Amino acid sequence: MTVCTIARLGEPILRRVAEAVTPEDRSSGRLAQWVTDLIETMRAVSGAGLAAPQVFVSKAVCVIEVRENRRYPFFPEIPLTVLVNPRLTPLTAGDRPEECITVYEGCLSVPGLRGRVSRPRAVRVQAEDAAGNSLDFVWEGVRAAVVQHEVDHLFGKLFVDRADSGTLMFYEEFERYVPVEARAVDGQIQDG
Ligand code: NI
């Protein structure tokens, strides 16, 4: 099993726009290797997702999975999802509370830190899977937040760029001071 070294905040690769995955990346088997490495590393370090630039591969591929996650016990389960060359279209504007999903996000590339990020609560996801099939689906709530966080990595963006700076805190303080019900707030569900 491979557990890749994870690039931390400050590594230039985290700030680059990842290159598109090409047919040659598929036919050569490189894509399959990247996907395997991402899944094994994500599971080994209890990530909710992992993007290729985080393991020093500047390519547009990310993986997502949440299953009894110890870093995010307040997240719903998300089946293993592999996104190649993903494109997101927000389905809500995200400037009114009921259009937002607000989550105290963290990131394996920013170890120990959490911060509150509000994002559009519904997104259309278009991508290919590992086998080259087209994907086209809508995710809402926490799932929408997770996929936006991962796809941000492919564009050189990190959650600390989007977090309210006054809400940044270390994990221990997050556990101590942020009530469970405030850790992920779906505007639509919260107030109807
Ligand atoms: Ni991240």
Side-chain angles (χ1 to χ4, degrees):
M1 195 183 86
T2 309
V3 180
C4 300
T5 302
I6 293 177
R8 304 202 315 171
L9 185 64
E11 283 287 352
I13 198 166
L14 292 174
R15 293 306 190 175
R16 291 215 289 270
V17 177
E19 290 172 25
V21 172
T22 63
E24 219 270 315
D25 292 329
R26 286 186 184 283
S27 59
S28 67
R30 279 195 299 268
L31 174 65
Q33 189 60 57
W34 296 330
V35 168
T36 300
D37 289 349
L38 284 169
I39 293 170
E40 291 183 354
T41 303
M42 170 179 67
R43 288 176 174 168
V45 297
S46 294
L50 193 61
Q54 293 182 276
V55 295
F56 295 89
V57 174
S58 195
K59 282 284 181 172
V61 50
C62 62
V63 299
I64 293 169
E65 182 182 51
V66 176
R67 225 176 26 191
E68 295 175 14
N69 189 289
R70 66 171 168 81
R71 290 177 66 243
Y72 296 97
F74 51 99
F75 276 12
E77 297 212 344
I78 306 178
L80 178 65
T81 303
V82 176
L83 300 176
V84 176
N85 297 332
R87 194 157 64 85
L88 300 184
T89 310
L91 300 179
T92 59
D95 50 7
R96 289 187 302 165
E98 63 270 29
E99 294 170 341
C100 288
I101 174 74
T102 301
V103 174
Y104 276 81
E105 297 187 12
C107 182
L108 296 166
S109 295
V110 192
L113 215 59
R114 290 289 164 106
R116 196 176 67 204
V117 183
S118 284
R119 302 176 183 272
R121 68 167 302 283
V123 286
R124 179 180 179 188
V125 181
Q126 293 167 284
E128 299 146 30
D129 67 12
N133 304 304
S134 293
L135 303 175
D136 189 343
F137 55 90
V138 172
W139 270 359
E140 298 185 28
V142 169
R143 287 184 172 87
V146 172
V147 73
Q148 288 175 82
H149 175 118
E150 295 310 325
V151 173
D152 267 355
H153 277 298
L154 308 179
F155 290 89
K157 279 265 182 199
L158 297 169
F159 85 92
V160 287
D161 307 337
R162 301 195 187 279
D164 298 333
S165 57
T167 68
L168 288 171
M169 60 181 79
F170 295 106
Y171 189 72
E172 211 180 306
E173 284 71 19
F174 163 77
E175 288 265 88
R176 189 181 310 155
Y177 294 113
V178 180
V180 172
E181 63 274 16
R183 295 178 184 185
V185 176
D186 187 334
Q188 193 166 88
I189 290 168
Q190 197 67 8
D191 295 309

